[in-house]
Amino acid sequence: MTAPITPDVLTIPRKAPEGLKPNLIGLTRPALRAALIAAGTPEKQAKMREGQVWQWLYHWGCRDFGAMTNLAKDFRALLATNFDIRLPQIVTRQVSADGTRKYLLRIDGGHEVETVYIPEEGRGTLCISSQVGCTLTCSFCHTGTQKLVRNLTAAEIVGQVMVARDDLGEWPVPGEPKREERLISNVVLMGMGEPLYNFDNVRDAMQIVMDGEGIALSRRRITLSTSGVVPMMDKCGAELNVNLAVSLHAVTNELRDQIVPLNRKYPIEELLAACRRYPGASNARRITFEYVMLRGVNDTPAEAHELVRLLRGLPAKVNLIPFNPWPGSPYRTSTPEAVRAFAAIVEAAGYSSPIRRPRGRDILAACGQLRTESERRRRDPQTEA
Ligand code: SAH
Ligand code: SF4
C-alpha cells in the first residue's frame, strides 16, 4: 500500500484570535504603512513613521510601545490603542549535549511548532518551521505523520527568528558597540512543513528577515527546502530568490513515488527542469540536493552514479543526510561505509557532497524528527466525540 500524497489530515482554519488587536509583527513595509494610516497616522507622516516603527521592531527587537522613545507621546498612544506586538511563546527549550537548542513554541489557537538552533564553528543556523505538521507524507519523516496541519502566519514565521534572538541575546543594545559575529548567521526553512505550500507567508516573513534596516540577513544566507512543489519553485525564484534546497532522496521515479509521494504529481524530470530554471542556478549559486540515506533502500553505488548522471550540467551540491530515526520509524540509517562510498562517487564527479552530521538527536531535534510532543500525545481529533 502506498501513502496518499496528501492524507486525510485535519487542516485547522486560521482564525484571528478574538478580542485581540492586530499584530504589527509580520506586516510587510507596505502593509505596515497602510495599517498605520488606517489607525489615523496622517498620510504625509506615514513613510517616516513606518521607518521608525520598523526599526524599533526589527532592529532593536523592542516589544513595548512605551519604550519607543523617539516617537511622540501621542503617536505611541495611537500605536498602543490600535496594535499589539505578539510573538510565539516559548513553552520549552531543550539543549542537546552538542549545544543544539530546540524550542517548542506556542502560537495562536494553542498550536505548537518547533524551531532548532544549531551552533557551529563560525556560524549558527536557525532551522525554522513553515507549518504545524505537514500535509505531505514522506515515509521517513516524523513531521509527515502529524495529523493536524495549519499554515503559520508571516508573524509566526519571522517570530521564530525573533524569539531565538531573544533567547540568544542577539539584539543590539543602544549605546553598545555593534557585535561583529552573528549568532544566527543563517536561516533554513527545513523545520516542520512544506514551505512552498505556504509560500505567501514564507515570502513576507523572509522579506522582513532580509530587510537591511532590521535583522538584515542577506538572501545568500537563507535556504528554502522543498520536497518538490514544481509550480511554486518558479514563483519562489521570481518573488523571493533565496537559496534552494531540494529533497531528492531517490534517483528513480519508482522509488521516489514511494518515499516522497509528491513525486507522483511532480516526477523527477519535471523537478530537475524546475531546478534548471531557478534563477542563479546557471552561475555561481548552486542548488543543494538533499538525500536521506536509508539502509538498503537508496544507498547503493549504482544509485550514486545515477544521481551524478541526473545532475549533469546543474550547478549542484549534494547533502547526504544519514537517516534520523524516530519512535516507530520504518527505516535504518545507512552504514557509515555506504554513506562514504556514496559520497566518494558524487565527489569524484565534481560535486561537493558533505555528509550532514546529525545534530541534537538526543532531543529529537535532528532533520525529520520534529513533531510536537503535545501532538504525539493528542488523540486523533477526528475520532473525538
Ligand atoms: N518539507 C521540506 C522541508 C522540511 S524537511 C522538505 O521536505 O524539503 C528538511 C529535510 O529533512 C528534508 O530534506 C527532509 O526530507 C529531511 N528529512 C525528513 N525526515 C528525515 C529523517 N528522518 N532523517 C533525515 N532527514 C530527514
Ligand atoms: Fe513534509 Fe518535508 Fe517531512 Fe516530506 S520531508 S513530510 S515534505 S516536512
Side-chain angles (χ1 to χ4, degrees):
M1 252 215 3
T2 52
I5 299 173
T6 54
D8 191 12
V9 291
L10 185 68
T11 304
I12 312 160
R14 219 181 334 110
K15 270 196 284 177
E18 275 168 46
L20 292 180
K21 295 176 215 163
N23 193 2
L24 284 186
I25 303 295
L27 300 180
T28 59
R29 279 184 179 270
L32 174 60
R33 193 187 304 189
L36 294 178
I37 292 170
T41 308
E43 293 221 15
K44 58 180 186 339
Q45 286 180 17
K47 187 172 161 45
M48 175 192 66
R49 294 303 193 199
E50 167 212 311
Q52 290 171 321
V53 173
W54 187 275
Q55 259 216 338
W56 280 114
L57 295 177
Y58 300 115
H59 177 77
W60 299 112
C62 179
R63 306 293 154 75
D64 172 7
F65 295 119
M68 300 184 174
T69 46
N70 67 344
L71 304 181
K73 271 231 171 70
D74 56 344
F75 184 63
R76 279 187 253 165
L78 173 147
L79 291 174
T81 312
N82 289 282
F83 302 108
D84 263 344
I85 301 172
R86 264 199 323 280
L87 290 162
Q89 299 290 311
I90 298 185
V91 182
T92 57
R93 189 192 80 155
Q94 287 169 278
V95 182
S96 157
D98 68 18
T100 300
R101 298 184 187 198
K102 181 168 86 169
Y103 305 99
L104 176 67
L105 304 179
R106 181 164 300 133
I107 55 176
D108 285 344
H111 308 301
E112 289 169 349
V113 76
E114 290 182 325
T115 302
V116 179
Y117 176 68
I118 306 148
E120 287 171 289
E121 193 63 35
R123 64 195 250 154
T125 303
L126 192 71
C127 178
I128 63 175
S129 295
S130 54
Q131 299 182 303
V132 175
C134 184
T135 56
L136 297 169
T137 48
C138 304
S139 57
F140 47 82
C141 176
H142 206 196
T143 307
T145 66
Q146 184 157 328
K147 280 233 165 61
L148 289 175
V149 178
R150 129 141 143 58
N151 278 339
L152 298 189
T153 62
E156 290 158 351
I157 297 168
V158 68
Q160 293 171 67
V161 180
M162 299 175 76
V163 165
R165 278 178 79 110
D166 292 352
D167 184 53
L168 295 164
E170 194 174 22
W171 297 103
V173 179
E176 284 187 13
K178 193 168 167 262
R179 204 191 310 202
E180 286 311 321
E181 199 200 355
R182 273 184 177 263
L183 297 174
I184 299 174
S185 61
N186 296 71
V187 166
V188 296
L189 284 144
M190 295 188 183
M192 300 168 72
E194 169 47 58
L196 295 188
Y197 275 177
N198 186 19
F199 180 69
D200 290 356
N201 290 317
V202 165
R203 178 200 53 214
D204 290 354
M206 290 306 104
Q207 256 145 15
I208 295 170
V209 168
M210 293 190 291
D211 191 287
E213 304 259 309
I215 300 166
L217 275 185
S218 88
R219 70 177 71 247
R220 287 171 294 118
R221 297 193 170 270
I222 298 176
T223 302
L224 182 150
S225 174
T226 180
S227 56
V229 188
V230 165
M232 296 305 292
M233 287 164 67
D234 292 312
K235 193 171 156 83
C236 178
E239 296 179 23
L240 190 55
N241 197 14
V242 292
N243 299 326
L244 189 66
V246 172
S247 295
L248 192 61
H249 307 318
V251 294
T252 63
N253 284 319
E254 200 192 352
L255 179 61
R256 198 163 187 271
D257 282 352
Q258 302 283 321
I259 65 178
V260 184
L262 187 62
N263 193 67
R264 285 180 250 144
K265 213 163 170 183
Y266 308 115
I268 291 176
E269 315 73 67
E270 287 179 31
L271 176 57
L272 292 178
C275 291
R276 290 175 203 279
R277 292 194 298 271
Y278 197 75
S282 53
N283 46 48
R285 205 157 62 138
R286 292 171 301 172
I287 292 180
T288 301
F289 288 88
E290 294 159 284
Y291 198 96
V292 62
M293 300 292 292
L294 307 169
R295 187 186 301 191
V297 176
N298 66 353
D299 61 353
T300 62
E303 284 162 309
H305 286 294
E306 178 58 12
L307 175 60
V308 165
R309 197 189 66 78
L310 285 175
L311 297 184
R312 196 165 294 156
L314 242 176
K317 144 179 171 186
V318 177
N319 222 324
L320 298 177
I321 318 174
F323 169 67
N324 292 308
W326 33 273
S329 59
Y331 299 105
R332 284 186 302 163
T333 310
S334 297
T335 63
E337 296 73 39
V339 178
R340 276 200 294 272
F342 198 101
I345 293 167
V346 178
E347 295 267 353
Y351 296 102
S352 146
S353 182
I355 300 166
R356 195 179 289 172
R357 231 168 6 111
R359 297 294 303 268
R361 261 189 186 172
D362 54 339
I363 54 168
L364 284 180
C367 303
Q369 292 186 315
L370 304 186
R371 186 187 199 271
T372 45
E373 195 56 51
S374 63
E375 182 58 28
R376 289 178 197 120
R377 287 192 306 265
R378 206 189 317 251
R379 283 172 52 202
D380 181 351
Q382 289 165 90
T383 62
E384 253 166 43

